Amino acid sequence: MARAQAPAGLRWIDAGSGEERASLSLVRSPPLRWSDDAPLPEEEGAFRLLWAEGDAPPEGLVLAAEAPDGRPLDQLEINVFRPHPCPAGAPAGRRCVASLPVRLAMDLDDRMHPAAAERSLLATLGGQVVVSRKKQRLLSAPVLAPRGGLWQSKIRVFLVRERPQGPPPFGFTDGTAEALTRAQIRRANAVWGQCGVSFGPPEAAEVKIVDPPSSALLAFGCGAAFRASGGRLSFRIEGREVAIALSPGQSAASVARRAASAIEKMGFRAVLSENLRTGAAAAPSVDLMARRRDGALLSFSSLASSDATLGVCLGSVDLSDGLQHFTDVDAVAGTLEERTLLRSVDDGDPRTIEVVLIPSFATGGRIGESFIHSDRGSLRNMILEDRAGIRADAVSFALAHELGHVLLDVPGHSDDFGRDTPGRLMDSDAADPSPFGPRRLTLAECDRALRQSGPSAAAPLLSPAAPPGRTASPRRR
Ligand SMILES: [Zn+2]
């Protein structure tokens, strides 16, 4: 049997195609019971351990999953083998055997489901899977994206209080709110791990609890965005007055630029953003925010105008009555309250995703919404989610779902065309905490995320991540 212990005969092969694999990936199909009589529907991402040296592999093979830092996560004895076609190039007459398909599960619900617990292994993106016998390591492979590689995306998370100095949007204290948020990021990592995408270690994520911005935005041309007919516009900022004379025919954009340059002359930073024209408006409206040099947001006050046609509105956020969210008419621009909130946290960096968590939306039935690149609006790569979304947690994977809209750059859902897709992350209405719930991503979706958000995309939200250095981090036992 000495020869049979040589690791050369062991390989990883794809359970579907039978092709050899250099890396493994998290399974993208729900757990189904294995039977020798009835073939399984194809399991996306499952693999087998192939023994190409004869009738039987060495006994006592153990499959172990390790975290990126080498910490042991899970293990599984592999003792059922079945005849299997040999890989191309194997000597004629050779017989090969392979294990049952093995599933690398994203979380414990998936790992422990009784239908497939005997062939599931809890694994983490960036970690590895090792085959050993009597504690001797025979073969290992990293856990990567379905086509290899690792991808990372930077999210910045803001928890917005209902009112200044009020309670956090969910949880009883700031501490529990932050812990719940990091748990959501952990879950989004597990789900997006199917596509090789990570949002970074949850404990290191940027999570801030902030007050709602008050009187922080001036919208020029709010409502119908008619041109000016002549008059005087004034407002105060940090106690100082800004006054602008409006001439007939002047556009909202031109008045906004004059206000911005007056603010810059006072030594502050002015940020102008043009909105997409909404269904009812004559021209696009333009938003103006003012910040101190250190980035702190400033408030406007004493807004007054004698112009009869050019509207200027002051944007504030008051979450005690819920956030006014967009309807079909203003979907492209967002409501004034939404824009005030989202622009207050926008860093202008197209490579980051801002996640804004609020107490609630003004009307029910909605737990999250996203502003995506293909909307072509000036609000991009931003997500709003309320506490109902946090509460739904594993039932609907709200954060991972909204991140899906942004990374896939699609407003729609997998069940938009009539066929129900309750197991897909991008299903519109599935609610199921089991491994059959809305948590799966397809290979086509993984490919699309890279196409729409990868390094060569217009909004490069995904960048390649180096596999964790195993020499740099000492192995813990
Ligand atoms: Zn959706």
Side-chain angles (χ1 to χ4, degrees), residues 129-153:
V129 177
V130 180
V131 190
S132 60
R133 183 171 176 266
K134 293 181 177 166
K135 299 199 170 161
Q136 187 197 352
R137 294 162 86 96
L138 303 177
L139 184 69
S140 68
V143 181
L144 303 177
R147 300 190 197 278
L150 277 178
W151 303 94
Q152 61 186 5
S153 185

Side-chain angles (χ1 to χ4, degrees), residues 173-240:
T173 64
D174 287 7
T176 53
E178 199 182 310
L180 285 167
T181 303
R182 296 193 192 280
Q184 287 285 305
I185 299 172
R186 187 167 295 115
R187 202 172 268 290
N189 276 345
V191 170
W192 275 94
Q194 294 172 95
C195 287
V197 171
S198 167
F199 303 96
E203 57 283 1
E206 181 179 336
V207 176
K208 285 185 182 149
I209 306 183
V210 299
D211 286 338
S214 166
S215 307
L217 182 142
L218 285 181
F220 292 83
C222 59
F226 291 125
R227 287 173 180 270
S229 43
R232 181 179 185 273
L233 170 76
S234 63
F235 55 86
R236 298 184 82 85
I237 181 168
E238 289 286 88
R240 290 153 70 187

Side-chain angles (χ1 to χ4, degrees), residues 7 11 41 44 64 68 138 142 186 203 220 251 265 278 288 290-291 307-308 334 339 349 363 403 412 415 417 438 445:
R11 333 217 161 151
E44 286 202 44
L138 303 177
R186 187 167 295 115
E203 57 283 1
F220 292 83
S251 70
K265 277 188 193 124
T278 59
L288 170 65
R291 294 182 181 274
D307 190 286
R339 281 164 18 225
D349 184 343
T363 49
L403 286 165
D415 53 348
F417 304 103
E445 285 169 328

Side-chain angles (χ1 to χ4, degrees), residues 311-330:
V312 180
C313 303
L314 188 55
S316 256
V317 177
D318 175 3
L319 297 177
S320 58
D321 57 351
L323 181 74
Q324 301 296 323
H325 70 80
F326 61 62
T327 61
D328 284 347
V329 179
D330 50 22

Side-chain angles (χ1 to χ4, degrees), residues 401-402 405 411 413 426:
H401 175 94
E402 297 300 331
H405 283 300
H413 295 103
M426 298 317 291

Side-chain angles (χ1 to χ4, degrees), residues 245-260:
L246 307 184
S247 39
Q250 220 176 350
S251 70
S254 127
V255 177
R257 280 195 298 271
R258 297 220 7 230

